[in-house]
């Protein structure tokens, strides 16, 4: 019964500097995995590029990164780009971005159930004659048949999961809330030892049922770092990023030795923020 399936929204946070075919593949791999379990239905994928305040070395402006991501997903019927995070003036913890998207689905859900409850009549005149036409709203909200809100799960590569172990990068309570309340989908190369990493962390082990490990058998080693390196050296990046992205980079001459030096020597926003907070060090 398709109605019994848990609806899932996949959220990927990161620099997307630039977005590559690998980023897009992560969504496809995760969707296949969830559908093969027979228990889930993936209804949407969201790409949320980090804002400029993240201060990562070589990070070009969010405006360009969001535009490239939108070009890359233009012909996807389920993956979209959300620029809410990138528009914030301060850097935001990933948990806050997850919460924001969860909240957005909650409010959309309330609106939908209210809309569903009002009988749809085509003629305005006829509508006036309907007695108690608002009554179904009350019933609908009291009854337990309202479908549960889709789960927003954080989609990541194994490098992001392993970054949980970097001191001061993540707050312990954030990691806990991410795996406890939302869930993680981690795409890892066949043979990559993510299981060992989970086993060695008490928090991750406690919530391991909410961490979905997806093996990537068709390995894809494209990274944004390698793409930028090729561009600095005047080498082709064709077939590594969508053609529209490649054209955009060329047209705007986006990556160079100068852009790679942006934020050089600047401490990454989370490290700045958490270093002063004794609770956050020794993440796992």
């Amino acid at each position: 019964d398709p109605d019994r399936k848990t609806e899932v929204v996949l959220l990927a946070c990161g620099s997307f500097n630039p977005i590559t075919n690998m980023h897009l593949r992560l969504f496809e791999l995760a969707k296949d995995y969830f559908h093969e379990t027979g228990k889930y239905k993936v209804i949407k994928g969201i790409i949320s590029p980090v804002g400029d305040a993240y201060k990562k070395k070589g990070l070009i402006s969010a405006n360009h990164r969001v535009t490239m991501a939108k070009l890359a997903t233009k012909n996807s019927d389920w993956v979209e780009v959300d620029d809410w995070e990138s528009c914030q003036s301060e850097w935001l913890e990933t948990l806050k971005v997850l919460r924001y998207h969860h909240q957005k689905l909650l409010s959309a859900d309330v609106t939908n159930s209210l809309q569903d409850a009002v009988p749809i009549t085509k003629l305005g005149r006829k509508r006036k004659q309907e007695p108690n036409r608002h009554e179904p709203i009350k019933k609908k909200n009291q009854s337990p048949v309202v479908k549960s809100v889709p789960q927003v799960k954080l989609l990541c590569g194994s490098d992001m999961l392993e970054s949980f172990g970097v001191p001061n990068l993540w707050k312990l309570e954030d990691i806990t809330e991410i795996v406890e309340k939302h869930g993680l989908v981690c795409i890892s190369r066949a043979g990559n030892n993510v299981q060992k990493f989970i086993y060695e962390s008490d928090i991750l082990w406690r919530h391991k049922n909410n961490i979905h490990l997806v093996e990537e058998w068709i390995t894809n080693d494209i990274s944004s770092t390698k793409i930028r390196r090729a561009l600095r050296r005047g080498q082709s990046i064709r077939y590594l990023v969508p053609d529209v992205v490649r054209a955009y980079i060329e047209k705007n001459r986006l990556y160079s030795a100068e852009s790679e030096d942006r934020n050089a020597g600047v401490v990454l926003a989370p490290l700045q923020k958490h270093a002063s907070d004794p609770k956050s060090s020794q993440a796992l």
Side-chain angles (χ1 to χ4, degrees):
D1 178 9
D3 289 342
R4 301 254 64 84
K5 289 182 184 171
T6 306
E7 293 190 334
V8 170
V9 171
L10 300 169
L11 172 70
C13 294
S15 302
F16 300 99
N17 185 38
I19 190 164
T20 71
N21 287 343
M22 181 206 63
H23 291 128
L24 302 167
R25 278 294 296 157
L26 295 182
F27 282 94
E28 297 296 326
L29 288 160
K31 188 184 185 188
D32 282 347
Y33 161 86
F34 277 119
H35 289 179
E36 282 162 17
T37 63
K39 294 182 211 149
Y40 299 94
K41 182 182 181 209
V42 175
I43 57 164
K44 196 199 300 197
I46 301 169
I47 290 174
S48 179
V50 77
D52 294 334
Y54 185 51
K55 299 279 184 229
K56 191 175 180 179
K57 185 177 182 296
L59 191 65
I60 68 163
S61 91
N63 182 16
H64 283 312
R65 292 181 290 109
V66 167
T67 304
M68 288 188 285
K70 284 183 174 169
L71 287 168
T73 51
K74 208 168 161 177
N75 48 19
S76 169
D77 55 358
W78 67 286
V79 181
E80 58 188 51
V81 180
D82 190 285
D83 63 359
W84 177 79
E85 178 186 0
S86 66
C87 288
Q88 307 302 308
S89 53
E90 288 181 10
W91 166 75
L92 284 186
E93 287 92 341
T94 300
L95 175 60
K96 287 183 181 158
V97 185
L98 267 168
R99 280 184 190 153
Y100 165 81
H101 285 288
H102 177 72
Q103 210 40 59
K104 205 168 146 182
L105 284 165
L106 271 178
S107 38
D109 204 57
V110 170
T111 326
N112 289 345
S113 32
L114 289 175
Q115 280 168 353
D116 294 348
V118 180
I120 296 164
T121 43
K122 292 210 173 72
L123 299 167
R125 277 196 316 274
K126 198 170 153 202
R127 213 173 168 148
K128 290 193 179 71
Q129 297 152 15
E130 277 175 28
N132 313 330
R133 72 164 192 272
H134 288 305
E135 226 163 47
I137 294 181
K138 286 208 290 286
K139 279 193 207 129
K140 176 98 180 188
N141 286 350
Q142 286 158 4
S143 77
V145 291
V146 175
K147 270 171 82 175
S148 59
V149 180
Q151 296 180 358
V152 185
K153 297 195 180 292
L154 187 62
L155 173 62
C156 64
S158 48
D159 51 347
M160 183 170 178
L161 182 74
E162 287 170 6
S163 79
F164 285 174
V166 177
N168 293 329
L169 195 58
W170 296 81
K171 283 195 297 215
L172 195 57
E173 58 263 44
D174 280 17
I175 295 173
T176 309
E177 191 173 322
I178 289 170
V179 290
E180 194 171 22
K181 301 242 164 47
H182 301 280
L184 271 179
V185 192
C186 178
I187 313 282
S188 72
R189 314 258 144 76
N192 187 320
N193 229 336
V194 183
Q195 273 110 330
K196 183 172 185 280
F197 186 79
I198 293 170
Y199 161 73
E200 285 171 358
S201 152
D202 287 346
I203 294 182
L204 298 182
W205 184 259
R206 191 176 315 133
H207 300 290
K208 66 179 188 292
N209 293 340
N210 219 1
I211 302 175
H212 302 268
L213 295 183
V214 184
E215 294 240 47
E216 177 183 21
W217 292 101
I218 304 176
T219 51
N220 176 344
D221 212 18
I222 305 170
S223 73
S224 298
T225 309
K226 291 175 183 175
I227 298 282
R228 294 196 304 275
R229 183 179 295 138
L231 287 164
R232 285 200 307 277
R233 295 175 182 177
Q235 295 165 342
S236 164
I237 56 164
R238 193 160 197 189
Y239 311 118
L240 300 176
V241 303
D243 267 339
V244 276
V245 172
R246 183 176 62 102
Y248 183 88
I249 291 172
E250 280 176 17
K251 186 178 148 216
N252 295 281
R253 299 199 180 93
L254 288 189
Y255 294 100
S256 61
E258 292 75 52
S259 73
E260 201 56 27
D261 278 339
R262 272 184 77 166
N263 298 322
V266 181
V267 179
L268 209 57
L271 298 176
Q272 267 180 42
K273 192 168 182 180
H274 300 151
S276 50
D277 177 6
K279 272 194 300 192
S280 66
S281 59
Q282 281 84 53
L284 295 176

